[in-house]
Amino acid sequence: MDPIPSNHLEKAYNYYRNGQLSRASQLLVELIKHDPGHEEAWYLLSYVLKDLDRQIYAVQRVLRINPLNQKASIRLRKLSVLREEEDAGETLSSETAEGSPPQVTRYTEWTRDQQITDHGFSHTQRLKFRAHNFWRRFKMNWNIFAQSRLAILGLILVFIFGLLTIAYPILRNTVWASSVYDPITGFDMKVFPHPVPPGSRHLLGTDTLGRDVLSRLLAATPHTFVIGLTAAVATAIVGTLLSMAAAYFQGNVDTAITNLADVFIMLPAPVMMVIIGTRFREISPFVLGLFYGVLTGAGGTTLVMRAQAIQIVSKPFMEAAQIAGGGGRHIIFKHLLPSLLPLAALQMMVAVTGAVVADGFISFFGITRTISNWGTIIYDAFIYAGISGTGVPWYSLVPAAMCFSLFALGFYLISRGLHRVASPELRRR
Amino acid sequence: MTRYLIRQFTISLIKLFVFLTFMFFFIQIVMPGDFVDQFAMGCDAACREEMRVQLGLDLPLWNRYFHWLGQVVRLDFGESMFGEPILDIFKRVIPPTLLVFVIGTVLAFMIGLWLGKVTSWRERGIGSRLITLGGLVLFTSFPPWLTYLVTYLVTKGGVFQVVGGRGGLRGPNFTGLDRLLWQKVELSPSEVIITMMICVVISALFLFLLKFIYERLTKSKVPTLMFVFLIGLWAVSGWQMWGIDDLAFDIMTIAYIPMVTYILLAFGEFMLIMQASMRDVKNSEYVQIARAKGLPESTVRDQHAARNALLPVLSRLVISLPYLITGVVIIESSVGWPGLGTNLWNALYWQNMPVVMNTLLIVGIISLGARLIIDVIAAYLDPRIRYQDFQTNHT
Amino acid sequence: MTVSENVLDVKNLVMHYRTRKGPVYAVDNVTFHVGKGEAIGLVGESGCGKTSIALSLLKLLPTNADILNGEIRIMGDDIVPLPEKKMNKRRWRDISMVFQSAMNSLNPVFTVEDQILEAMLEHVPHLSEEEMNEKIDSLFDLVGLDPSLKTQYPHQYSGGMRQRAVIAMALSCDPDLIIADEPTTALDVIVQDSILKQIRDIQKELNMAMIYISHDIAVIAEVSERVGVMYAGKLVEMSSTENIFHNPIHPYTMALMSCFPSIVGEKTELVTLPGEPPDLLAPPPGCRFHPRCPYVTEICKEQDPDYKEHTQGHYAACWHPGGEK
Amino acid sequence: MAQKNGKTLVNINKLSKLFPVGQGIFGKADSFVHAVSDFNLQIKVGESVGLVGESGCGKTTTGKLITRLLDPTTGNILMDTEEGPVDIALLKGKEMKTFRRRVQMIFQDPYESMNPRMTIFDTVAEPLNVQGIGSMSDRETMVADLLETVDLVPASSFLFRYPHELSGGQRQRVAIARALIIKPDFVVADEPTSMLDVSVRTGVMNLMQDLADQFDVTYLYITHDLAVARYMCDRIGVMYLGKIVEIGETEDLLHNPKHPYTQALLSAVPVPDPTYTRNPIKISGGITKPVDPPPQCRFYNRCPLADEYCKTHDHPPRKEITPNHYVACYHA
């Protein structure tokens, strides 16, 4: 056997002071194996061991070697007192916790100095940790997001539009009479001639056909939301799937997907929308959004996301996952997908902007006749102005156009905030 | 380098082919009816059938596809369904579009880059924030609305006949042109525009050469703003020499509306990309070294930071190009500018397939051509590309 | 102020970064000087403030950093209050720098010659074109590069060549002081060795003052005459290289010397320093090294030790120099 | 760290890896980088072997080949199993997954080798997860125990943190824990300490040595730092352009280097002692990518001893000079 270096005890003491108890005990045990009569080692061991009984045993060993050791006898006395207290406590707790398994609550709020003897968690605790972690992640990302004031502005804009969506059905069912405030058939008999400028009765005035502009705007909000969000989700799904495939398989698959995306990027959005618009004159916003997302949004998104996916795949943690034995499914769903999601969210927001503008464009030219739409309001303003010769009423034109711009702006600003969340360079600081 | 360009060119052709094939079938399958349905509303079934045979619309889709393909390969544009040679149509509509698109893109690019550079250098200033917000608002604004606003502002609310429902279905014309002036000459507006463009290109090339020589001789820099101004001045005097100045100014009095709108719409994107790129470059070591060398702040910004920041912007531009073309199409049809976009609307409305397909061909060529130009510019700016001969390895 | 013998005098320099979580004092009360023709080394772990000192000396701090206190005298003139325009005149003329990463310190879109010329045109414009060209050629010779390579672009150089070019660039305006911030860290041993030799020779030949910054004490041992040891934003010990390596008195220096492996001599047990360097956002009170120090006593936890001269030319900031009680 | 029983654990024979470079118009490779070529190495159970060399010499590629992150172009890597040696290049599916239990890797960059979106627990438990070892609470116990073993005490304060909340040294300890959690026989450590601070580095080095004894792990250390290799390894192999040019017991190799490249490398290492003067051996040029290298000795154009014989002959074969000390040089 090798001679034990003299500084073993010192090392063990250092470990103990640093809280590395297991390493300290390892060294001490080694020392004691070598020299069972090592008084100081036994004494230190009594501090290092976690179990009270074993601590007592260690001190007893010290006293057996040197019965005159003052420190040890003091410690033994202390430990015996502790022992008695613990025994009393144990009987107490076993009495109270009859029937239910002894739940350990020490993980709910931990501090650095808590020691672990049993590492198993209950199911609820595990869930709690996951939730807690999710919340921490969210807070971290939110802090990054909130650094950009413009992003907050965007969030507020979108929130306001959300409120408008809710406001319409409430107003319709309470204060707005359907004969006057219906977005399509409403007509106000009490004012003449139409259009009227904004006033207390019609906050944004009426259009040439006597319909209330505000109610039309509000009624069109959900429509825009549906188009924008459908397009966004479709874009994000297509982009994520294709970019993941490109990054994971690389080689020919990658080349094919990149080039295909390149081709799709050339599709002019308004032309596509016009073609679809003429095909389905009364198209539902959902289908329109879907078409937009898949046909025109996905090309650019795929290219942008593929670049990032390739970067992620080349990171060492991917190799680490592979070494752990993870197959394709594990790597894609546990590593690649979660890393791509922030970017997908960012691209979604950009796609909303594009889809809303494209939708507005075709309804603006009267190609689709969706029930009610901000673009249709503008279109009506022009076309009926021409028919009735009253000129274009600015108060039906400006709000509708502003709605488009602000809606798109809101989502775009959110995407700027998400950009910070998605870019790892900013995260590291 | 040349090898790389040849490779890119070949791939571009393949992409163009795939793109056109997709569009051919997509339009024919998705859009209901055909040209005859749109055009011959009053005819009975027999008359329609006769027309279909005459126009070749009775053939199966595959046959028509190969027929069209054959024409494209022979570079024969054929005739529109109305019987007008498509080449003539293109001669009429392409110059106005190029005028807006090329000059607009170049100006928007320069303005955007300059603003991006300046704002990202002093990121915390109130001016920078305002410009950034302004760019964002313009970039996300609804294009027809922006057109309306610009027209309203520049004409002080007076002339406003341009924006209007079904604007795309009006026949392409220059409604704002001075009739008397144009009756005196035999030139069409498009021919004048071609001459104008040639003037601009020649003067730009010539001045670039002069600038190059001047800078080599004196080892100093010509301010970009002055350079652009000189090009403008030179080009205008060129119009005078050709004797088309009256006509050119007449065209410009209406052309600046779509141009300004387009610039307002497009510069924001360039600015935002440039900002992001500058932010990356700003903290790089060579910029720090340039500062440590005691160079003036403007030199550090323009020579060291901006020039490197430009490279990623160029590659991003490739992705943005189609959106820019889209922007032009929307603006054109909003103001009724008789360009390629407006023409495309009409053709789509009438389901005038030969015109639609050939217009898409032109759009594809423009976008792929612009891409090749971007590649060349990138190679000019970045010696790493210039000297590498693109030997990328996939290890 | 009398004209000082020293090229650089730094007194009580305090510099901090403003971060979201609070100020980070990256350089805290640092005092040292560099004599004419002297090569000093600054050694410390990452995040201990060595690079922050270098950037402060050139006043090249990022926008979120401020020099709060202290003097930086170059040839006797305090540069801290100097406006940017005047500072620009002094940069590279009086004090130049070789940055850490050879790969990124050259601008990829300009030729190496242009990048050197640029600095010369700014600072020594009275030279004629031929003189400048000659100067560049001689600089290339000096750092061991073929002058015919000067018209090439940085990407055509290998890593070692790039670092040589950067050194040539730093020498182009004959500075009085050159700061080398880990110039060889990214390079392989053999290249590192030849560049180190070159740096040493040039410094001796031109009798130029140099601050060599590194985390590698072996490299520092080879190039410097005096060594300063930094820990958590503070200069904890400074003395002649001999003293630092053979008679260190600060426990951190002592630990550093015994935890560094060497390929010569007997294979000795390497000492493990417990714990981690402190987080500068919340540094420990008192001596910043106390949580890891084997000689820690109560006073260490409460009061920051003064940085003072213990023996002739041997400065240290410790309550128990050399481990004494 | 005595030799356990002298049984060979890994036997690498004529291993080569070529990477294509350059391409024609339609992407056909026309030349190859010989990153690893004709590489032979035997690693015995319980020993730790170091692989040193400059960047670009192929040491990392070798590591990736042994852990089968890359597939070899030619040659085989035989791993000792209960049923005798098995070529790992031929493993597929289930067998591959079992192989992963036996060979693990520690990466150079503690920042990049952990998924920033996963907690320390998820990161360390990933191998258990993938291999389906233990129940959830078993895994928690195992991870927490191991974290304490690598001196992350108390484990509870680390389990649910994210990598970016840890310092570099702590992160590398986590990386070590992840590599050891499924009790592998063989660990490839790719410059595990090169990104760490000096004061933390020794701690990690000592920890790895302790764990090697505790867990019966055989290490392959890949490093560019000879001084570190000296403290970590029983044997050191010096690599140059994809080949081992010299290999021997650590102290033997450091004191009696025989290959001119090893000599140059050793003489270039700076020494942390101002009174010590080295006499560096100057070799010309720098390392270049071995793109379609000529068949002669790889070190030929930089070698101070090179002569006509070296020029006209193949890369020299490896020969045993003193026991356990092999050199591939005609002049040694």
Side-chain angles (χ1 to χ4, degrees):
Chain A
M1 205 171 199
D2 307 327
I4 293 287
S6 54
N7 64 351
H8 245 56
L9 189 71
E10 214 175 289
K11 265 194 186 169
Y13 180 65
N14 274 334
Y15 280 135
Y16 163 70
R17 227 187 43 203
N18 293 328
Q20 304 165 346
L21 297 185
S22 59
R23 297 206 56 178
S25 77
Q26 212 178 300
L27 282 181
L28 290 172
V29 168
E30 208 173 301
L31 204 58
I32 290 165
K33 265 186 203 156
H34 189 69
D35 172 17
H38 202 306
E39 183 187 334
E40 281 167 286
W42 278 111
Y43 183 68
L44 188 54
L45 196 62
S46 84
Y47 281 90
V48 168
L49 292 172
K50 290 171 196 161
D51 190 45
L52 199 54
D53 288 329
R54 291 170 69 189
Q55 284 179 4
I56 293 173
Y57 174 74
V59 188
Q60 283 168 345
R61 283 296 293 258
V62 176
L63 289 174
R64 204 180 300 163
I65 296 162
N66 178 11
L68 297 177
N69 191 327
Q70 282 287 315
K71 283 191 292 182
S73 48
I74 293 169
R75 180 150 171 79
L76 182 61
R77 229 173 293 147
K78 272 190 191 162
L79 287 174
S80 326
V81 174
L82 272 177
R83 170 85 269 176
E84 278 159 28
E85 274 175 14
E86 203 172 60
D87 283 344
E90 232 168 47
T91 45
L92 251 174
S93 64
S94 64
E95 271 166 21
T96 50
E98 201 83 51
S100 63
Q103 278 290 323
V104 194
T105 48
R106 59 176 168 271
Y107 288 103
T108 45
E109 41 173 15
W110 44 52
T111 50
R112 254 169 188 283
D113 40 17
Q114 262 169 327
Q115 284 295 315
I116 303 180
T117 45
D118 171 24
H119 299 288
F121 304 113
S122 77
H123 191 65
T124 43
Q125 276 168 341
R126 219 171 273 138
L127 272 180
K128 225 185 221 165
F129 296 138
R130 300 276 156 196
H132 177 69
N133 261 336
F134 182 81
W135 172 241
R136 273 200 322 144
R137 274 210 84 81
F138 176 78
K139 238 173 35 187
M140 199 170 76
N141 287 337
W142 170 256
N143 283 339
I144 298 171
F145 181 84
Q147 266 172 47
S148 156
R149 267 180 238 164
L150 285 179
I152 300 283
L153 177 67
L155 213 56
I156 293 171
L157 280 176
V158 172
F159 184 69
I160 290 173
F161 277 107
L163 280 186
L164 293 184
T165 317
I166 306 167
Y168 178 67
I170 297 175
L171 287 172
R172 268 299 296 279
N173 291 325
T174 51
V175 286
W176 282 356
S178 76
S179 63
V180 180
Y181 290 100
D182 188 279
I184 296 164
T185 57
F187 186 82
D188 195 346
M189 308 278 224
K190 291 191 182 135
V191 287
F192 195 78
H194 288 292
V196 291
S200 60
R201 195 172 159 76
H202 299 282
L203 286 177
L204 289 174
T206 60
D207 67 2
T208 326
L209 293 187
R211 297 177 292 196
D212 182 63
V213 174
L214 183 62
S215 72
R216 297 194 71 197
L217 279 181
L218 292 189
T221 319
H223 170 98
T224 316
F225 262 110
V226 170
I227 287 197
L229 294 179
T230 319
V233 171
T235 304
I237 290 176
V238 174
T240 310
L241 288 181
L242 287 181
S243 60
M244 282 201 305
Y248 184 73
F249 295 107
Q250 311 226 325
N252 288 337
V253 178
D254 183 25
T255 316
I257 286 175
T258 320
N259 283 321
L260 197 70
D262 254 353
V263 171
F264 265 69
I265 224 178
M266 282 198 284
L267 303 180
V271 175
M272 303 309 282
M273 298 302 270
V274 166
I275 293 168
I276 294 157
T278 23
R279 171 76 180 82
F280 311 100
R281 299 291 280 195
E282 302 271 317
I283 193 167
S284 84
F286 178 74
V287 180
L288 195 65
L290 210 60
F291 267 112
Y292 179 85
V294 174
L295 285 179
T296 58
T301 305
T302 306
L303 283 186
V304 173
M305 288 185 71
R306 175 205 160 257
Q308 174 125 345
I310 294 263
Q311 260 183 28
I312 294 168
V313 165
S314 65
K315 287 264 168 77
F317 69 74
M318 285 290 180
E319 290 181 343
Q322 215 179 325
I323 295 240
R329 215 174 38 179
H330 174 82
I331 284 175
I332 285 178
F333 288 106
K334 278 274 155 72
H335 292 280
L336 192 51
L337 186 60
S339 313
L340 274 178
L341 282 182
L343 189 65
L346 159 70
Q347 290 295 326
M348 267 171 75
M349 298 302 139
V350 177
V352 170
T353 310
V356 167
V357 168
D359 161 56
F361 178 67
I362 55 171
S363 49
F364 167 70
F365 281 109
I367 289 160
T368 50
R369 294 291 312 161
T370 33
I371 314 287
S372 180
N373 184 343
W374 295 334
T376 320
I377 296 173
I378 305 178
Y379 172 68
D380 288 351
F382 281 113
I383 202 116
Y384 296 121
I387 292 169
S388 62
T390 48
V392 184
W394 62 268
Y395 38 84
S396 72
L397 185 71
V398 173
M402 287 312 284
C403 276
F404 266 124
S405 299
L406 289 179
F407 193 85
L409 181 68
F411 277 97
Y412 194 80
L413 290 181
I414 293 179
S415 87
R416 297 244 310 167
L418 283 176
H419 181 78
R420 306 171 71 94
V421 179
S423 59
E425 314 85 68
L426 291 168
R427 177 178 293 270
R428 198 172 271 188
R429 280 178 220 152
Chain B
M1 188 60 219
T2 38
R3 212 167 104 185
Y4 171 74
L5 283 181
I6 290 169
R7 195 183 137 102
Q8 286 303 94
F9 185 71
T10 327
I11 294 175
S12 296
L13 283 186
I14 299 171
K15 280 181 198 158
L16 191 60
F17 167 75
V18 175
F19 165 65
L20 290 173
T21 308
F22 175 80
M23 286 307 283
F24 187 90
F25 288 104
F26 183 74
I27 295 174
Q28 307 257 2
I29 292 170
V30 170
M31 275 180 110
D34 55 20
F35 174 71
V36 174
D37 289 331
Q38 299 290 333
F39 182 68
M41 301 267 215
C43 291
D44 58 5
C47 160
R48 286 183 182 206
E49 214 41 53
E50 194 184 325
M51 255 172 101
R52 286 218 168 90
V53 174
Q54 212 177 348
L55 293 168
L57 288 177
D58 57 329
L59 298 170
L61 206 51
W62 280 105
N63 260 351
R64 277 186 273 158
Y65 173 66
F66 284 116
H67 176 71
W68 168 77
L69 210 58
Q71 278 187 332
V72 170
V73 171
R74 279 181 275 123
L75 288 178
D76 169 16
F77 287 125
E79 288 182 349
S80 103
M81 294 267 183
F82 293 107
E84 190 184 3
I86 289 176
L87 208 59
D88 285 357
I89 298 179
F90 281 169
K91 271 185 196 152
R92 197 178 68 229
V93 300
I94 290 180
T97 294
L98 281 185
L99 183 72
V100 172
F101 180 64
V102 173
I103 295 184
T105 308
V106 169
L107 287 180
F109 190 67
M110 285 166 71
I111 293 171
L113 289 195
W114 187 74
L115 283 179
K117 186 171 82 181
V118 173
T119 51
S120 62
W121 204 252
R122 299 233 173 280
E123 221 171 337
R124 293 180 187 280
I126 185 88
S128 304
R129 281 165 198 248
L130 280 180
I131 292 173
T132 309
L133 186 64
L136 275 167
V137 168
L138 287 171
F139 169 58
T140 52
S141 63
F142 186 46
W145 156 246
L146 194 64
T147 325
Y148 169 75
L149 213 63
V150 170
T151 321
Y152 186 82
L153 288 178
V154 296
T155 57
K156 297 214 179 66
V159 189
F160 190 67
Q161 83 283 37
V162 277
V163 183
R166 299 204 177 243
L169 302 180
R170 226 186 296 122
N173 58 2
F174 286 94
T175 29
L177 291 182
D178 183 350
R179 293 280 142 222
L180 279 174
L181 193 63
W182 288 89
Q183 273 164 13
K184 279 187 270 175
V185 290
E186 284 168 11
L187 294 165
S188 75
S190 292
E191 283 163 339
V192 174
I193 290 175
I194 293 176
T195 328
M196 282 163 68
M197 298 280 290
I198 290 173
C199 268
V200 173
V201 169
I202 290 176
S203 51
L205 284 179
F206 191 69
L207 275 169
F208 257 115
L209 195 72
L210 269 187
K211 181 185 170 198
F212 183 75
I213 295 168
Y214 177 79
E215 282 178 356
R216 264 296 139 100
L217 285 179
T218 61
K219 290 209 176 269
S220 59
K221 286 272 169 205
V222 181
T224 319
L225 207 64
M226 180 145 102
F227 182 63
V228 175
F229 179 71
L230 275 179
I231 291 182
L233 206 69
W234 198 297
V236 171
S237 51
W239 298 347
Q240 194 112 35
M241 261 167 47
W242 287 68
I244 54 159
D245 48 333
D246 288 348
L247 303 172
F249 288 137
D250 200 31
I251 287 180
M252 286 310 281
T253 51
I254 54 168
Y256 77 99
I257 293 178
M259 231 188 262
V260 167
T261 316
Y262 175 63
I263 291 171
L264 286 181
L265 193 67
F267 92 92
E269 172 148 36
F270 294 123
M271 182 178 84
L272 296 175
I273 303 174
M274 184 67 178
Q275 278 181 353
S277 181
M278 277 293 273
R279 229 171 277 141
D280 290 345
V281 172
K282 221 165 97 177
N283 298 322
S284 66
E285 288 209 342
Y286 51 79
V287 169
Q288 230 172 13
I289 279 217
R291 279 227 187 92
K293 278 197 276 193
L295 302 177
E297 197 71 2
S298 61
T299 314
V300 176
R301 187 188 69 192
D302 299 345
Q303 296 288 308
H304 289 271
R307 191 144 170 216
N308 279 288
L310 200 58
L311 301 169
V313 175
L314 283 177
S315 60
R316 248 315 288 272
L317 193 59
V318 174
I319 297 183
S320 328
L321 247 180
Y323 294 116
L324 294 178
I325 295 174
T326 304
V328 173
V329 169
I330 295 182
I331 289 167
E332 272 187 6
S333 32
S334 304
V335 291
W337 181 249
L340 210 55
T342 317
N343 193 54
L344 182 60
W345 284 150
N346 287 318
L348 262 177
Y349 179 74
W350 292 113
Q351 300 208 359
N352 197 340
M353 278 310 286
V355 178
V356 172
M357 286 319 295
N358 284 310
T359 308
L360 289 177
L361 177 70
I362 297 290
V363 169
I365 289 174
I366 290 176
S367 104
L368 291 173
R371 227 170 213 224
L372 284 182
I373 291 173
I374 290 171
D375 278 342
V376 173
I377 293 176
Y380 166 75
L381 288 176
D382 190 350
R384 281 167 296 187
I385 302 176
R386 220 183 310 156
Y387 286 93
Q388 198 183 17
D389 206 18
F390 274 87
Q391 297 226 325
T392 46
N393 61 16
H394 292 283
T395 50
Chain C
M1 184 83 192
T2 50
V3 176
S4 126
E5 274 301 293
N6 294 333
V7 174
L8 176 76
D9 266 299
V10 177
K11 243 186 222 144
N12 302 342
L13 183 67
V14 180
M15 189 275 251
H16 80 172
Y17 292 96
R18 280 166 280 127
T19 70
R20 256 183 294 138
K21 293 170 190 159
V24 167
Y25 287 84
V27 179
D28 197 353
N29 214 356
V30 166
T31 303
F32 68 97
H33 65 90
V34 184
K36 275 208 173 70
E38 194 185 19
I40 75 157
L42 275 185
V43 66
E45 300 174 85
S46 62
C48 73
K50 347 183 258 298
T51 302
S52 298
I53 285 191
L55 294 180
S56 305
L57 296 184
L58 275 160
K59 294 225 298 175
L60 273 182
L61 297 169
T63 43
N64 68 336
D66 303 303
I67 295 177
L68 294 179
N69 187 22
E71 299 172 356
I72 301 170
R73 292 185 183 279
I74 297 180
M75 314 294 281
D77 308 327
D78 191 0
I79 60 161
V80 174
L82 229 51
E84 191 64 4
K85 270 239 165 74
K86 283 195 175 150
M87 188 63 217
N88 254 352
K89 288 256 176 312
R90 311 206 63 156
R91 284 179 188 140
W92 226 249
R93 270 247 62 166
D94 291 350
I95 176 167
S96 70
M97 185 160 174
V98 177
F99 281 80
Q100 184 164 12
S101 130
M103 287 296 160
N104 306 326
S105 5
L106 289 168
N107 191 332
V109 301
F110 296 115
T111 61
V112 175
E113 185 188 20
D114 282 349
Q115 296 186 47
I116 299 178
L117 210 56
E118 187 181 42
M120 291 171 76
L121 282 170
E122 192 64 39
H123 295 291
V124 281
H126 53 272
L127 293 183
S128 72
E129 206 166 319
E130 288 85 60
E131 281 172 321
M132 285 193 193
N133 271 329
E134 267 170 41
K135 173 96 194 181
I136 293 176
D137 285 358
S138 69
L139 283 174
F140 265 59
D141 275 333
L142 195 63
V143 296
L145 280 174
D146 183 357
S148 66
L149 295 173
K150 67 181 180 181
T151 50
Q152 290 199 339
Y153 286 94
H155 74 273
Q156 291 162 302
Y157 281 32
S158 71
M161 284 159 76
R162 265 180 243 189
Q163 201 53 283
R164 285 169 204 269
V166 172
I167 294 168
M169 189 156 82
L171 297 172
S172 61
C173 299
D174 301 315
D176 303 307
L177 173 68
I178 185 166
I179 304 170
D181 184 5
E182 310 233 11
T184 61
T185 303
L187 304 173
D188 278 315
V189 240
I190 294 178
V191 185
Q192 164 177 298
D193 182 53
S194 78
I195 288 185
L196 280 183
K197 190 174 176 320
Q198 213 103 42
I199 289 179
R200 228 165 19 200
D201 292 351
I202 291 169
Q203 189 257 334
K204 292 246 166 65
E205 199 181 313
L206 304 180
N207 194 28
M208 194 173 45
M210 176 171 79
I211 300 179
Y212 194 101
I213 295 172
S214 179
H215 69 275
D216 189 337
I217 62 167
V219 171
I220 289 282
E222 302 218 335
V223 291
S224 48
E225 294 153 26
R226 277 194 305 136
V227 177
V229 181
M230 288 199 68
Y231 183 77
K234 290 195 173 272
L235 194 60
V236 293
E237 183 167 6
M238 187 153 193
S239 185
S240 69
T241 312
E242 279 277 338
N243 269 339
I244 289 286
F245 279 84
H246 296 307
N247 305 307
I249 58 176
H250 194 282
Y252 176 65
T253 317
M254 290 154 86
L256 207 58
M257 294 305 142
S258 49
C259 72
F260 210 90
S262 167
I263 61 159
V264 298
E266 283 296 297
K267 184 172 167 180
T268 47
E269 182 93 348
L270 297 179
V271 172
T272 307
L273 204 54
E276 303 265 342
D279 179 6
L280 285 182
L281 270 169
C287 173
R288 290 190 180 177
F289 186 60
H290 87 252
R292 301 172 78 184
C293 184
Y295 310 112
V296 61
T297 54
E298 279 312 308
I299 190 164
C300 303
K301 295 178 188 169
E302 283 151 16
Q303 276 181 47
D304 203 4
D306 288 334
Y307 178 70
K308 57 175 191 245
E309 194 163 6
H310 285 265
T311 56
Q312 174 68 34
H314 195 150
Y315 297 84
C318 183
W319 291 115
H320 309 294
E324 69 188 30
K325 289 286 165 188
Chain D
M1 247 182 287
Q3 304 266 319
K4 296 276 153 59
N5 51 12
K7 203 172 159 196
T8 304
L9 180 72
V10 179
N11 188 356
I12 305 167
N13 283 320
K14 297 192 183 265
L15 186 69
S16 301
K17 179 71 188 173
L18 312 184
F19 291 113
V21 279
Q23 44 190 184
I25 289 196
F26 288 101
K28 258 271 176 254
D30 39 28
S31 47
F32 294 90
V33 171
H34 293 233
V36 175
S37 76
D38 200 10
F39 181 98
N40 298 295
L41 180 66
Q42 281 77 39
I43 300 170
K44 294 196 175 69
V45 174
E47 73 171 340
S48 40
V49 177
L51 216 49
V52 296
E54 293 175 278
S55 54
C57 73
K59 50 191 197 306
T60 299
T61 310
T62 312
K64 288 186 176 176
L65 286 170
I66 295 173
T67 48
R68 190 93 191 280
L69 285 173
L70 292 171
D71 289 329
T73 311
T74 56
N76 49 31
I77 302 164
L78 299 176
M79 177 105 191
D80 187 50
T81 63
E82 279 155 19
E83 296 124 39
V86 170
D87 187 355
I88 65 162
L90 304 175
L91 296 177
K92 274 199 194 81
K94 257 227 155 67
E95 290 171 319
M96 192 63 216
K97 210 166 173 178
T98 345
F99 163 72
R100 293 283 184 219
R101 290 192 190 190
R102 303 195 53 209
V103 176
Q104 284 292 312
M105 190 162 179
I106 300 170
F107 292 87
Q108 173 178 18
D109 190 342
Y111 292 84
E112 296 275 310
S113 64
M114 268 169 245
N115 190 337
R117 285 162 214 283
M118 276 162 66
T119 58
I120 300 305
F121 170 73
D122 287 335
T123 304
V124 177
E126 190 181 25
L128 298 177
N129 231 335
V130 172
Q131 303 279 357
I133 298 171
S135 69
M136 198 63 183
S137 61
D138 288 348
R139 285 178 203 161
E140 273 153 6
T141 315
M142 285 165 85
V143 170
D145 278 347
L146 192 54
L147 285 183
E148 295 205 341
T149 317
V150 297
D151 291 347
L152 293 175
V153 179
S156 60
S157 68
F158 290 95
L159 275 181
F160 292 99
R161 287 214 235 165
Y162 287 100
H164 69 96
E165 296 170 302
L166 266 53
S167 73
Q170 289 170 337
R171 239 177 286 206
Q172 203 56 297
R173 284 166 197 270
V174 172
I176 292 170
R178 171 173 63 186
L180 294 179
I181 188 93
I182 43 174
K183 308 222 161 33
D185 306 328
F186 185 51
V187 169
V188 176
D190 186 1
E191 309 238 13
T193 58
S194 73
M195 313 256 306
L196 300 180
D197 277 325
V198 207
S199 73
V200 180
R201 191 167 71 182
T202 8
V204 173
M205 278 160 63
N206 286 343
L207 173 72
M208 286 179 74
Q209 273 176 341
D210 293 352
L211 293 176
D213 295 346
Q214 203 177 326
F215 284 76
D216 279 335
V217 187
T218 307
Y219 279 117
L220 176 68
Y221 274 93
I222 295 170
T223 177
H224 67 275
D225 191 335
L226 275 158
V228 170
R230 182 188 188 191
Y231 279 87
M232 302 300 292
C233 309
D234 303 328
R235 277 197 300 149
I236 294 180
V238 179
M239 255 186 111
Y240 187 77
L241 293 188
K243 286 176 187 286
I244 288 189
V245 292
E246 183 165 4
I247 185 165
E249 310 262 331
T250 304
E251 295 298 314
D252 188 18
L253 184 103
L254 292 182
H255 293 118
N256 307 305
K258 288 288 186 281
H259 196 280
Y261 177 68
T262 318
Q263 289 166 354
L265 200 62
L266 282 173
S267 73
V269 178
V271 174
D273 183 353
T275 49
Y276 184 89
T277 38
R278 299 179 285 122
N279 16 338
I281 300 164
K282 196 141 170 70
I283 58 171
S284 56
I287 202 162
T288 45
K289 255 191 186 173
V291 180
D292 295 335
Q296 75 216 31
C297 173
R298 285 287 163 86
F299 192 52
Y300 174 75
N301 35 12
R302 290 175 77 189
C303 185
L305 305 177
D307 58 15
E308 212 37 50
Y309 187 82
C310 302
K311 190 178 183 179
T312 48
H313 285 73
D314 281 358
H315 188 84
R318 204 193 277 182
K319 61 187 176 202
E320 190 164 8
I321 302 195
T322 50
N324 261 334
H325 189 156
Y326 300 83
V327 182
C329 179
Y330 292 119
H331 296 282

